[in-house]
């Protein structure tokens, strides 16, 4: 067997989830997540005392309760892990082989299975070439770059390293826009009411990170524009917002909570919301949008509310992921 005939590893990557919906597990998860300088890029001597002295002593209990409300208790997994695993399993069932076989697996940036552990596992199966496919459509240093950091930190510790590729963001990819448009159209048609306004809620980012050159906001706005064009909707019909703020700093706006309050108080009675930047449903979509934002809209005078699911492991999603996977392993198989 030549080196070009050896198996190629393909690792689907998403953010992560605690190992269990209890306080110790959530504390470990938050410690790993919030100590990542890509996520919180404050000076370490400023941030770490706050993280370990305040945040990790107050936030895990509340977060554990929220995780418990969405947990897949029958299999002991958070929904993001379940969905990411299913995405990898469905992709593995697709014939991606060429002159070399393809071995598909998945990893989480925070929590388990970790990126370094899965790279080692693929190498143990004979993979000398590995492609990582981060399922983050819009580039942010706190997501895409953090995945690359973790992967290359793992390689630093290896005597024998694999060749490594990191998948590109796909915020304007026609396959992504097509998948979103088909999914939104189908899910809207299944509702028992017609929303007056639909909100596309992306995860937020500190404004300072954008000011320093992060292209994330621009990528989100491009996705929003292309999706409006694909759906034939105006800016007033399909609104843009950003959710999941943390801490007192200014984040990119408009905030999802503000947009929803504005809609309700201006007389909008029926709305739907979805999160196009999330490839899998998780705490931020199920609990934050589906519970907190729903309650806010109804409290302010709204009457009908629907949270549309993420792409998850739907047929549209798997067509997209297969397209991205073939692009990233092109020339290797």
């Amino acid at each position: 067997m030549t080196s070009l005939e050896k198996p190629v590893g393909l690792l689907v990557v998403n953010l992560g989830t605690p190992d269990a919906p209890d306080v110790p597990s959530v504390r470990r998860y938050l410690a790993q997540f919030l100590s990542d300088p890509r996520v919180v890029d404050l000076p370490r001597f400023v941030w770490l005392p706050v993280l370990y002295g305040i945040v990790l002593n107050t936030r895990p209990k509340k977060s554990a309760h929220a995780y418990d409300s969405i947990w897949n208790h029958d299999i002991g997994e958070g929904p993001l892990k379940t969905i990411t695993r299913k995405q990898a399993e469905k992709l593995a069932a697709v014939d991606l082989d060429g002159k070399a076989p393809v071995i598909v697996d998945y990893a989480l940036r925070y929590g388990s299975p970790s990126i370094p552990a899965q790279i080692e596992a693929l190498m143990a199966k004979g993979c000398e070439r590995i492609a990582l496919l981060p399922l983050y459509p819009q580039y942010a240093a706190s997501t895409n770059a953090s995945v690359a950091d973790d992967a290359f930190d793992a390689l630093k510790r290896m005597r024998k390293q694999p060749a490594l590729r990191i998948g590109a963001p796909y915020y304007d990819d026609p396959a992504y826009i097509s998948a979103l448009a088909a999914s939104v159209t189908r899910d809207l048609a299944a509702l028992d009411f017609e929303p007056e306004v639909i909100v596309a809620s992306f995860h937020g980012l500190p404004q300072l990170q954008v000011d320093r050159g992060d292209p994330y906001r621009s990528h989100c706005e491009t996705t929003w524009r292309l999706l409006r064009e694909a759906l034939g909707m105006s800016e007033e019909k399909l609104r843009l917002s950003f959710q999941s703020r943390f801490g007192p700093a200014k984040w990119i706006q408009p905030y999802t909570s503000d947009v929803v309050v504005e809609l309700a108080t201006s007389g909008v009675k029926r709305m739907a919301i979805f999160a196009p930047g999330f490839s899998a449903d998780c705490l931020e979509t199920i609990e934050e949008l589906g519970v907190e934002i729903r309650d806010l809209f109804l409290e302010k005078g709204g009457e009908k509310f629907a949270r549309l699911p993420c792409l998850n492991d739907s047929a549209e999603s798997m067509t997209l992921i297969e397209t991205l996977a073939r692009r990233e392993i092109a020339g290797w198989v």
Side-chain angles (χ1 to χ4, degrees):
M1 178 185 296
T2 69
S3 61
L4 294 179
E5 295 172 321
K6 291 183 178 180
V8 171
L10 179 60
L11 205 54
V12 176
V13 181
N14 213 321
L15 189 77
T17 184
D19 292 326
D22 55 44
V23 172
S25 299
V26 172
R27 183 178 287 116
R28 287 194 301 271
Y29 171 74
L30 290 178
Q32 184 188 15
F33 177 47
L34 295 175
S35 63
D36 184 347
R38 291 287 194 179
V39 174
V40 181
D41 57 0
L42 295 172
R44 299 291 89 185
F45 74 90
V46 172
W47 171 240
L48 291 182
V50 174
L51 174 61
Y52 285 93
I54 301 175
V55 176
L56 294 180
N57 289 318
T58 57
R59 188 165 179 177
K61 183 176 181 180
K62 179 181 178 182
S63 294
H65 177 75
Y67 275 109
D68 188 67
S69 71
I70 68 166
W71 204 255
N72 294 327
H73 289 280
D74 54 334
I75 56 175
E77 292 179 348
L80 183 140
K81 183 174 183 176
T82 301
I83 294 165
T84 306
R85 176 173 49 78
K86 287 182 177 179
Q87 289 168 333
E89 289 171 351
K90 288 186 176 183
L91 183 61
V94 175
D95 184 8
L96 299 172
D97 298 349
K99 59 180 179 289
V102 178
I103 300 176
V104 180
D105 213 328
Y106 78 101
L108 302 177
R109 174 60 185 91
Y110 311 102
S112 61
S114 70
I115 294 171
Q118 294 298 74
I119 289 176
E120 291 275 9
L122 288 172
M123 290 185 68
K125 295 176 181 178
C127 299
E128 296 182 353
R129 295 164 293 166
I130 299 174
L132 270 62
L133 185 59
L135 294 183
Y136 307 128
Q138 297 78 26
Y139 175 93
S142 56
T143 52
N144 302 67
S146 183
V147 166
D149 289 346
D150 202 32
F152 286 109
D153 281 345
L155 264 61
K156 286 180 184 178
R157 300 187 290 270
M158 295 179 181
R159 174 64 60 182
K160 180 183 178 182
Q161 296 179 335
L164 193 66
R165 290 178 177 175
I166 309 290
Y170 49 96
Y171 63 98
D172 60 351
D173 192 296
Y176 170 56
I177 302 302
S178 176
L180 284 177
S183 177
V184 169
T185 299
R186 182 193 65 241
D187 293 336
L188 287 176
L191 298 179
D192 61 1
F193 68 95
E194 182 177 350
E196 299 163 75
V197 178
I198 303 158
V199 176
S201 180
F202 293 85
H203 198 286
L205 199 68
Q207 182 62 47
L208 184 60
Q209 294 185 18
V210 175
D211 294 341
R212 289 173 176 169
D214 201 301
Y216 179 74
R217 183 190 180 96
S218 174
H219 285 189
C220 293
E221 290 175 338
T222 299
T223 297
W224 175 52
R225 174 180 58 80
L226 293 173
L227 186 55
R228 289 199 328 266
E229 293 173 0
L231 294 171
M233 294 182 180
S234 67
E235 293 184 22
E236 293 72 29
K237 179 70 172 181
L238 181 58
R239 298 285 297 270
L240 170 72
S241 70
F242 298 93
Q243 65 181 87
S244 306
R245 283 176 287 162
F246 175 74
K250 180 181 179 182
W251 285 48
I252 51 178
Q253 299 183 42
Y255 301 140
T256 297
S257 56
D258 290 350
V259 169
V260 169
V261 169
E262 172 206 329
L263 292 174
T265 55
S266 67
V268 172
K269 299 299 183 183
R270 306 181 308 278
M271 70 161 286
I273 195 167
F274 69 106
F278 292 80
S279 62
D281 275 310
C282 56
L283 189 69
E284 286 81 0
T285 64
I286 300 171
E287 205 275 337
E288 184 179 353
L289 294 184
V291 178
E292 294 178 20
I293 293 299
R294 177 202 64 195
D295 291 351
L296 182 62
F297 179 67
L298 298 178
E299 174 191 325
K300 297 299 180 180
E303 296 177 356
K304 294 281 189 177
F305 177 93
R307 180 192 70 84
L308 308 184
C310 295
L311 288 174
N312 296 328
D313 61 332
S314 65
E316 296 89 352
S317 175
M318 295 315 304
T319 297
L320 166 63
I321 293 173
E322 180 184 344
T323 299
L324 299 173
R326 291 188 183 280
R327 183 173 306 154
E328 297 306 330
I329 62 175
W332 275 1
V333 298

